[in-house]
Amino acid sequence: MTQTKTDINLAIDAQNLRRVYASAGREVVALDNLNLQIPVGKFVAVKGKSGSGKTTLLNCLGGLDSPTSGSIMIHGRPIEKMSSTELTDWRQKEVGFIFQAFGLLPTLSAHENVELMLRIAGIPRRERSQRTDEVLAMVGLEKWAGQRPYEMSGGQQQRVAIARALAHRPNLILADEATGELDTQTSYELLDLLKSIARDENVTILLATHDGLVDEYVDEVMNLVDGKLHA
Ligand code: ADP
Ligand code: MG
């Protein structure tokens, strides 16, 4: 057996990440030899202006994109070594995504939006419904389960998206500008919710954001400038 230096206390251990896009005949360096280590159960913000590389970073960490070079270990597993089937399977079991635009299906109720995710993850029907009720309660939407997205406020829609990201009990949640479309008060409420989720569910949460509202809610803030991280 080969001996690898894995630290199981690290949810994320990314080394020398580079992601270069070829765009209209020139190269864009979106991630520039970036190193990132995040212990299990932390709520960490990556702050950076538009174009600094936040989405590229989250996509690489969640296996939606591959870095041009560098290595990524999530809970001690090198994700670049996984086949695409293994990657899909891993993502469906262990990672939850929250996006700026909520990404809810408009014709489905809050309950159905969450349950669909569990169906995709292969969770049995009985368990699905129970778990859906549980996560909707966790985000304070038990009375809104039957509503469709257009019948809810932006903050409520994002709560549904958070419930959906949590439903399959991921150990890592990647939130890309999760509060970007929301007013300040609603953003604070959602940051508070994410903070309590990281604490109570022992989930690691990495939140990418371009605004400065996050500092008092997270365990650590990192600044991303032109694809480079600064603590
Ligand atoms: P952020 O999420 O912080 O706004 P991105 O990760 O989206 O940053 O983008 C980082 C840089 O990479 C930007 O210069 C952007 O224009 C470029 N970029 C992102 N995606 C692509 C792509 N698919 N093709 C070419 N360039 C891209
Ligand atoms: Mg982005």
Side-chain angles (χ1 to χ4, degrees):
M1 247 179 82
T2 49
Q3 196 69 30
T4 48
K5 274 193 301 176
T6 56
D7 184 343
I8 54 155
N9 297 313
L10 287 179
I12 298 174
D13 186 359
Q15 303 279 347
N16 299 317
L17 278 197
R18 258 177 90 73
R19 176 64 169 101
V20 182
Y21 295 106
S23 175
R26 59 184 196 104
E27 290 195 334
V28 176
V29 181
L31 301 177
D32 191 3
N33 285 314
L34 178 150
N35 295 297
L36 174 65
Q37 291 180 318
I38 299 179
V40 171
K42 295 283 181 207
F43 181 17
V44 175
V46 171
K47 275 205 274 191
K49 291 179 185 162
S50 177
S52 58
K54 302 181 296 296
T55 296
T56 304
L57 176 62
L58 264 53
N59 286 347
C60 287
L61 295 175
L64 295 173
D65 186 16
S66 342
T68 309
S69 59
S71 74
I72 300 171
M73 304 269 246
I74 307 287
H75 295 99
R77 291 182 67 186
I79 64 168
E80 73 272 15
K81 300 225 166 79
M82 294 182 199
S83 68
S84 65
T85 327
E86 285 172 328
L87 201 57
T88 304
D89 189 57
W90 166 76
R91 205 186 301 123
Q92 281 170 5
K93 290 207 170 79
E94 297 195 25
V95 189
F97 289 96
I98 304 169
F99 302 101
Q100 175 172 13
F102 318 142
L104 303 176
L105 292 172
T107 58
L108 300 185
S109 68
H111 193 279
E112 289 164 339
N113 263 286
V114 174
E115 205 197 353
L116 177 64
M117 210 52 157
L118 292 174
R119 200 180 310 176
I120 292 168
I123 309 295
R125 182 191 295 265
R126 229 190 97 89
E127 206 178 313
R128 280 201 310 255
S129 192
Q130 207 177 333
R131 178 64 179 161
T132 301
D133 291 342
E134 201 173 289
V135 287
L136 284 173
M138 219 184 271
V139 300
L141 287 182
E142 54 273 80
K143 295 206 174 72
W144 294 79
Q147 307 299 118
R148 301 221 167 83
Y150 62 84
E151 298 167 316
M152 291 185 271
S153 68
Q156 288 171 325
Q157 290 181 53
Q158 195 58 305
R159 281 171 191 270
V160 177
I162 292 171
R164 186 184 53 180
L166 267 178
H168 58 298
R169 297 191 170 82
N171 45 34
L172 175 63
I173 291 183
L174 299 170
D176 195 358
E177 313 257 12
T179 60
E181 306 249 297
L182 304 171
D183 64 82
T184 308
Q185 187 53 40
T186 309
S187 295
Y188 284 144
E189 287 167 17
L190 288 185
L191 287 167
D192 213 33
L193 175 63
L194 289 172
K195 184 182 174 179
S196 64
I197 287 168
R199 187 189 57 219
D200 302 340
E201 306 287 303
N202 203 34
V203 185
T204 307
I205 304 180
L206 187 59
L207 170 74
T209 178
H210 66 265
D211 61 40
L213 302 173
V214 294
D215 295 35
E216 53 199 288
Y217 292 90
V218 297
D219 298 307
E220 196 174 346
V221 176
M222 298 185 184
N223 294 300
L224 188 58
V225 183
D226 298 335
K228 286 191 169 77
L229 266 185
H230 306 266

